[in-house]
Amino acid sequence: MALFMDTHNIDGGVSAADVAAAHEADLATQRSHGVDYLRYWVDEQAGKIFCLVEAPSAEAANAVHREAHGLVADEIYSVSEHS
């Protein structure tokens, strides 16, 4: 599986509680798409959300968002982890 970082831009800001609820919906939906949402980060005031996900493709990762809550990513990047 590949590793992806996606970004969401929410005009007017976003609450951490709303993002947590969306992440829980992702976790409940991901298995049927062969996806594993690992972590997320949020900047509430700027309305920025970043999700780290293992998935067979960027399309599969976005399909989880679409099915779980409808908030698809604005951008998705293929990333690799280095220490």
Side-chain angles (χ1 to χ4, degrees), residues 4-46:
F4 298 94
M5 178 72 72
D6 73 22
T7 63
H8 305 262
N9 302 299
I10 310 300
D11 290 336
V14 64
S15 76
D18 287 345
V19 176
H23 181 69
E24 288 301 316
D26 288 332
L27 296 179
T29 306
Q30 67 186 7
R31 179 180 246 174
S32 65
H33 295 276
V35 169
D36 187 14
Y37 273 89
L38 303 171
R39 289 188 70 174
Y40 69 90
W41 296 263
V42 60
D43 180 332
E44 291 177 280
Q45 290 183 336

Side-chain angles (χ1 to χ4, degrees), residues 48-61:
K48 304 286 185 186
I49 306 165
F50 306 89
C51 304
L52 183 64
V53 56
E54 285 184 324
S57 67
E59 293 79 17

